[in-house]
Amino acid sequence: MSSRSTVRDLAQIAVFAALIAGLSLPGAIPIGSLGVPITLQTLGVMLAGAILGPRKGTLAVTTYVVLALIGLPILPGGRGGLGVFVGPTGGYLLGFILGAFVIGWCTARLLPRYRILPALLVTAIGGILAIYLIGVPWTAVTVGIPLDAAAIGALAFIPGDLIKVVVTVLVASAVHRAWPGIIEPKPWPWAAAKAETDASGAPVDPEASGRPAVADPSVQQDDRS
Amino acid sequence: MTEIVFEHVAHRYGDVPVLEDVSLRLAERRIGIVGANGSGKSTLARMVNGLVQPTSGRVLVDGLDVARRGREVRRRVGFVFTDPDNQIVMPTVREDVAFTLRRHRLPADQAAARVDDALETFGLSDLADRPAHKLSGGQKQLLALAAVLVARPAVLVADEPTTLLDARNARIVGEHLAALPQQLVMVTHHLDALADFDRVLVVDAGRIVADDAPAAALEAYREVVA
Amino acid sequence: MIGFAVPGTSVLHRMRPGVKLALLAAAVTVLAVLRDPVQLAVALALSCALVPLAHLPLRQTARQVTPVLWLLAVAVPVHAWFGTWPDAAAMGLRILTAVTLAAVFTMTTKVEALLDTVQAALRRVPWIDAERVGLVLALTIRCVPLLAAIVREVIDARRARGVGGSLRAIAVPVIVRSLRTADAFGEALVARGYDD
């Protein structure tokens, strides 16, 4: 695959960047029978990674963040501009980029099968852990409080984040079945090393490697078209 | 007139045939395409400028194979989609019209003059610096037309350009289309718009089932629908 | 274009965005080193003086700064609990000053001008295709109202069928329509001569 984006990639990047903005604008909306208010901005970030993959997903989130900093009112509550970046919550914007990358990178390795349990795990790592990994220390440093105090402050958002992780995985699972080829499947680093030793050894019977290997070429072709 | 030739063209989506063995030579000035939803008429229109490639057969525009010389063909063949919201790619009206000329390598003043000209033709001069999303549906379709025609293509292909518009705006856009000097290939559900056309194709289940002057073709179409 | 910029002809309005951005970065760096609440209070006063200097409307400027005030209302006491009140005051003043300066920057700089600056800077980076980055940024700005409308419609449709409901019932139709929109834009870009 070439690292250069096709026109279709560019359109997907722009539409998902705009989608994160569209999800940020309504503010908190009531969800479930209890009507718990939830903001949708991080849902958009997680979906970008889980549906578009590491390169396009990260670029979509980066585009969103750059436009917010440039001064478009696309952050929750119609905010935007550099003020957010120099304030205590600025780290989360960078965390979004890392989060989308982590989710996208792992998702490409879970495909083409995309089993739900590992998907939930990697989406939680990217969509919660990676985001707070930058967001919380940023708050601690700008506000000048201990790290654990800042982390306790962030705990309140975890239940909502967990719901968003589950929804992201369910949606991504349906999308990857209906539209195969949005993300090019990649092997895990350890699996790639193993495949190399396999290839240098006895020739592998393509029939024996099962459905995923057969599905691969068509998926890659779709991505280029 | 530009000559558009289909040589035994078929298109399949997976196992599903969308078009089967279409052979045509189109050189009339006003060509209409009608057919039910899902009949393959949009696919037929998209093949003229290579947005959809044949799975077998060839499409030639002035002798250029669309599959191999897509970029050159698209310089000659402009395309107007049904939903202008998905065709306008720049934030403001003027920027969107100018976008089409980006890759034409024109001197800046010439490009600007052409953009002004196109805006004037479609009555958009006063809206030039407006955000595109603030336009009405009819104005958006006129903007889409201006943005395609600023490149001065020899042929315009339009895929149901008035379907999403109300009656008044459909009439305005229809009048602009009728007044074009370009060769026009138009897919439409508005049968009365085709009365002055030179030729009308009726597509049904992936085949051309009638190909005639408007009156006779539309008669055949009514039989297919009935 | 949509944004927070207030038209004007002040020195700050006329300054090139790149220069202004460098000054802002320098100011934030200096603020980070200052420890004395009195010095920081002077810095805040000077920053606030920029608002009338640039003829910025007070209310709009306040709207840029108030969200961080709420945060500080919690953060300053917390900081004082872990440290000392002078330190807490210094922290609050430092953040308030930085946010005020950034607000002045945002309100005196047009989005278009900043986009041009970003693209001009990217053109010097050999491995970045600045034209494509510019296209993605412009296409995104164009798409924000479209996608915002899609999200609003889906949320409203769900509300019409009864309050509450699952997040998935929002996410699925929104994503399906987003992917279709992306396909349509991809096709339109090719039709309009922007093929690879």
Side-chain angles (χ1 to χ4, degrees):
Chain A
M1 190 190 86
S2 104
S3 67
R4 205 177 141 86
S5 304
T6 66
V7 169
R8 189 167 164 236
D9 292 345
L10 298 184
Q12 285 177 344
I13 292 165
V15 165
F16 270 72
L19 171 64
I20 303 170
L23 287 170
S24 302
L25 293 178
I29 61 163
I31 291 294
S33 45
L34 294 175
V36 183
I38 280 188
T39 56
L40 303 182
Q41 183 188 37
T42 47
L43 177 68
V45 171
M46 294 185 210
L47 284 167
I51 289 175
L52 296 187
R55 195 171 50 83
K56 289 183 285 183
T58 310
L59 287 173
V61 177
T62 308
T63 303
Y64 168 73
V65 170
V66 166
L67 285 176
L69 296 184
I70 276 180
L72 288 187
I74 54 177
L75 296 173
R79 297 178 62 211
L82 274 175
V84 183
F85 198 56
V86 299
T89 55
Y92 286 99
L93 294 179
L94 293 181
F96 291 165
I97 298 174
L98 179 66
F101 175 76
V102 169
I103 294 176
W105 192 88
C106 296
T107 300
R109 270 118 196 123
L110 292 176
L111 286 170
R113 288 193 53 198
Y114 200 69
R115 284 195 312 255
I116 297 294
L117 280 180
L120 285 171
L121 182 70
V122 301
T123 307
I125 291 173
I128 301 178
L129 213 63
I131 292 176
Y132 289 109
L133 192 66
I134 301 183
V136 170
W138 185 291
T139 307
V141 168
T142 46
V143 181
I145 56 175
L147 207 55
D148 47 358
I152 288 166
L155 277 182
F157 299 100
I158 299 283
D161 288 339
L162 286 171
I163 295 174
K164 288 176 233 178
V165 166
V166 173
V167 169
T168 299
V169 169
L170 293 178
V171 173
S173 154
V175 166
H176 290 310
R177 252 180 287 130
W179 275 279
I182 299 178
I183 305 178
E184 185 192 3
K186 290 267 175 72
W188 293 98
W190 53 88
K194 188 172 167 288
E196 233 161 73
T197 42
D198 281 356
S200 59
V204 182
D205 179 6
E207 295 296 314
S209 57
R211 261 192 65 78
V214 179
D216 263 0
S218 71
V219 162
Q220 286 174 7
Q221 222 155 36
D222 271 1
D223 205 26
R224 270 195 302 260
S225 67
Chain B
M1 253 345 90
T2 299
E3 191 185 48
I4 302 161
V5 176
F6 282 66
E7 287 177 354
H8 301 289
V9 171
H11 182 78
R12 301 178 148 267
Y13 188 80
D15 293 335
V16 188
V18 182
L19 277 182
E20 292 180 86
D21 195 28
V22 173
S23 290
L24 286 169
R25 184 183 162 277
L26 306 172
E28 292 76 9
R29 213 166 90 76
R30 296 273 181 270
I31 298 156
I33 303 177
V34 296
N37 291 332
S39 59
K41 57 188 191 314
S42 283
T43 304
L44 189 70
R46 278 169 165 71
M47 282 179 158
V48 178
N49 73 345
L51 289 176
V52 175
Q53 302 288 351
T55 35
S56 64
R58 296 200 296 172
V59 180
L60 303 167
V61 173
D62 272 345
L64 298 173
D65 186 339
V66 175
R68 270 185 258 147
R69 319 269 299 263
R71 187 172 292 177
E72 284 158 86
V73 169
R74 282 187 281 275
R75 288 255 173 135
R76 290 162 201 238
V77 182
F79 199 101
V80 176
F81 295 86
T82 310
D83 187 351
D85 256 332
N86 294 337
Q87 176 162 11
I88 299 165
V89 296
M90 288 285 125
T92 68
V93 171
R94 185 193 303 277
E95 285 173 300
D96 190 65
V97 176
F99 172 81
T100 312
L101 295 179
R102 265 196 198 184
R103 293 202 164 172
H104 282 243
R105 298 211 174 80
L106 289 173
D109 53 333
Q110 257 185 55
R114 275 224 215 166
V115 171
D116 286 337
D117 204 35
L119 290 172
E120 178 78 43
T121 308
F122 292 93
L124 297 167
S125 300
D126 294 340
L127 306 171
D129 295 312
R130 281 282 182 89
H133 71 274
K134 295 258 170 88
L135 302 184
S136 74
Q139 288 168 336
K140 281 180 186 168
Q141 196 55 289
L142 291 176
L143 167 56
L145 272 174
V148 170
L149 292 165
V150 74
R152 304 195 177 152
V155 186
L156 183 71
V157 181
D159 182 18
E160 300 191 34
T162 56
T163 300
L164 295 178
L165 304 179
D166 59 39
R168 186 173 155 274
N169 280 310
R171 188 175 50 75
I172 294 172
V173 170
E175 280 166 7
H176 273 285
L177 285 168
L180 291 179
Q182 269 90 358
Q183 187 176 357
L184 175 67
V185 178
M186 181 164 81
V187 178
T188 186
H189 286 301
H190 289 136
L191 302 186
D192 13 325
L194 300 174
D196 321 325
F197 274 46
D198 302 306
R199 182 174 173 186
V200 174
L201 309 175
V202 181
V203 186
D204 187 55
R207 293 176 183 281
I208 311 279
V209 294
D211 178 357
D212 216 323
L218 293 179
E219 186 56 45
Y221 177 52
R222 286 189 186 97
E223 273 167 37
V224 171
V225 180
Chain C
M1 197 191 286
I2 27 167
F4 299 104
V6 177
T9 53
S10 73
V11 188
L12 287 167
H13 280 92
R14 278 177 287 146
M15 202 181 279
R16 281 172 45 204
V19 175
K20 227 187 305 186
L21 200 56
L23 285 176
L24 177 65
V28 172
T29 314
V30 171
L31 285 174
V33 230
L34 291 182
R35 289 275 170 271
D36 180 7
V38 180
Q39 290 175 345
L40 283 160
V42 173
L44 178 61
L46 288 175
S47 308
C48 290
L50 293 177
V51 176
L53 183 77
H55 302 286
L56 296 177
L58 259 182
R59 188 173 300 178
Q60 263 168 273
T61 317
R63 214 175 293 150
Q64 293 269 312
V65 182
T66 35
V68 81
L69 281 178
W70 292 110
L71 254 160
L72 290 178
V74 181
V76 170
V78 172
H79 186 109
W81 172 265
F82 287 106
T84 63
W85 275 104
D87 273 358
M91 179 274 293
L93 288 166
R94 185 182 301 126
I95 291 178
L96 208 52
T97 311
V99 171
T100 306
L101 286 172
V104 169
F105 173 86
T106 297
M107 294 177 73
T108 55
T109 316
K110 280 197 203 154
V111 170
E112 292 96 324
L114 212 40
L115 277 175
D116 288 346
T117 306
V118 169
Q119 245 175 298
L122 289 178
R123 241 171 250 132
R124 291 189 207 137
V125 188
W127 40 272
I128 287 183
D129 187 337
E131 197 210 348
R132 286 181 165 235
V133 175
L135 172 66
V136 168
L137 292 174
L139 188 57
T140 305
I141 295 171
R142 154 74 190 131
C143 287
V144 169
L146 279 183
L147 273 294
I150 289 177
V151 171
R152 212 179 314 120
E153 278 168 31
V154 170
I155 291 177
D156 288 350
R158 189 192 63 125
R159 202 168 283 154
R161 276 183 265 125
V163 190
S166 76
L167 193 54
R168 193 185 180 186
I170 297 175
V172 170
V174 163
I175 286 296
V176 169
R177 290 179 64 179
S178 301
L179 286 168
R180 290 221 180 100
T181 304
D183 276 348
F185 272 111
E187 199 177 38
L189 285 169
V190 172
R192 296 187 56 183
Y194 208 92
D195 35 13
D196 292 293

